[in-house]
Amino acid sequence: MTGASSALKDETACQICVTCGVQFAAAAVTPEECPVCGDERQYVRWSGQEWTTLDELRRAHHNEIRNDLGLTGIGTEPSFAIGQRALLVASPSGNVLWDCITLIDEATVNAVQSLGGVRAIAISHPHYYSSMVEWSRAFDAPIYLHSADRRWVMRPDERIEFWDGESKGLWDGMTLIRAGGHFEGGTVLHWPAGAEGRGALLSGDIVQVAQDRRWVSFMYSFPNYVPLAASEVDRIVSALEPFRFDRIYGAWWDRNVGSNAMEAVWRSAQRYKRHLQVG
Ligand SMILES: [Zn+2]
Ligand SMILES: [Zn+2]
């Protein structure tokens, strides 16, 4: 019996919001409404607030673990909540789990351990906080979150490490970049070894890969169709400017810009701002 499997047992009381997948602290009574979904960037499902638990989730769902353009993706089947997949960035000095998903089970822990485990978890923004504390405990890994989004943490934990400022260097040249936009602390991960050394950006939906995967977009709210101001788009572009990357990994399976990604960001920002112009 490993520490990992015992860590998976004691959180049966934690409530999970069915719409955004965020897990709440065990001590909390069932909250009336999820604050993440009550925020104007999200929504409460039309049938009303609903809750589940990890135990319930494990009965009807499993995780698919597969290659997604050279990275290991981890996503839940059938899809749950927002439906994002996490990515495991394998790196010589330790792996990063980029973004997070709600379902964690023994099969997933074992599979990720066999790939070298997790040295740290980093998450783009609160919509993917999910059950990050469970993952952190299972792999004994810290969670790096930008401090500007601190108030969206529904399950505080000593393993959460808030960082400030515009960037945070990790190891092997990897950097967390605060891009902002969709959330004040909106973060992307630059992975210089990605795309066979041409560099890659793991962007969640902070830089959102469009259906036409030669393009990206930037929104304050995706489900409620609220755009960002031109000044915010410029801010994102200039935050990325110092970094070289040929590829962008978005938030869902296969939602990636395969090549020429720096140019795609620049071109998409120009197009976006053209459509914001009045008159
Ligand atoms: Zn929610
Ligand atoms: Zn989001």
Side-chain angles (χ1 to χ4, degrees):
M1 180 81 89
T2 63
S5 43
S6 56
L8 292 178
K9 286 208 175 115
D10 53 18
E11 306 306 339
T12 49
C14 288
Q15 297 293 302
I16 292 167
C17 170
V18 167
T19 308
C20 72
V22 165
Q23 187 191 47
F24 286 67
V29 286
T30 302
E32 273 178 29
E33 187 186 275
C34 166
V36 177
C37 290
D39 174 59
E40 65 175 355
R41 281 163 283 202
Q42 258 282 104
Y43 59 93
V44 177
R45 59 172 50 196
W46 299 354
S47 52
Q49 178 70 51
E50 282 177 46
W51 304 98
T52 186
T53 62
L54 260 182
D55 270 358
E56 258 176 52
L57 202 57
R58 285 176 189 141
R59 269 179 237 135
H61 296 74
H62 70 278
N63 283 338
E64 182 184 358
I65 302 178
R66 68 166 167 89
N67 180 42
D68 190 343
L69 202 58
L71 278 178
T72 300
I74 310 166
T76 299
E77 294 293 333
S79 182
F80 175 70
I82 297 172
Q84 77 276 9
R85 52 106 177 83
L87 292 164
L88 187 71
V89 181
S91 196
S93 305
N95 299 344
V96 177
L97 182 71
W98 170 251
D99 277 333
C100 202
I101 58 173
T102 306
L103 176 61
I104 178 168
D105 56 17
E106 247 174 274
T108 307
V109 173
N110 292 339
V112 171
Q113 290 292 18
S114 75
L115 295 167
V118 175
R119 178 169 165 185
I121 300 166
I123 303 179
S124 59
H125 74 300
H127 291 153
Y128 303 155
Y129 285 176
S130 59
S131 64
M132 60 182 175
V133 172
E134 302 287 339
W135 288 78
S136 169
R137 290 184 179 181
F139 296 103
D140 193 22
I143 306 165
Y144 300 140
L145 304 180
H146 197 280
S147 63
D149 294 334
R150 180 191 288 261
R151 73 187 172 105
W152 298 108
V153 172
M154 297 298 139
R155 186 179 172 192
D157 192 86
E158 60 189 6
R159 290 175 181 81
I160 299 172
E161 291 181 24
F162 293 101
W163 59 280
D164 296 302
E166 301 310 308
S167 66
K168 176 182 171 65
L170 300 181
W171 51 90
D172 299 336
M174 292 185 283
T175 309
L176 295 174
I177 305 160
R178 179 214 193 170
H182 179 38
F183 270 81
E184 201 183 336
T187 299
V188 299
L189 170 66
H190 181 244
W191 176 40
E196 294 80 44
R198 298 186 303 282
L201 205 65
L202 284 66
S203 69
D205 62 1
I206 301 305
V207 176
Q208 171 87 307
V209 176
Q211 286 293 350
D212 179 343
R213 297 181 299 178
R214 297 167 300 172
W215 297 83
V216 298
S217 193
F218 320 88
M219 294 284 267
Y220 179 69
S221 169
F222 291 96
N224 300 327
Y225 311 112
V226 186
L228 283 176
S231 56
E232 269 300 299
V233 174
D234 284 338
R235 217 186 81 81
I236 295 171
V237 172
S238 56
L240 300 180
E241 219 140 49
F243 298 91
R244 218 174 52 83
F245 54 92
D246 191 47
R247 184 175 291 169
I248 294 176
Y249 290 90
W252 291 274
W253 289 117
D254 308 308
R255 266 292 189 112
N256 310 314
V257 178
S259 60
N260 297 317
M262 279 192 299
E263 202 251 327
V265 169
W266 188 85
R267 178 166 31 85
S268 301
Q270 302 312 310
R271 179 173 79 170
Y272 193 92
K273 289 195 294 177
R274 261 198 320 276
H275 283 274
L276 286 178
Q277 277 166 15
V278 181

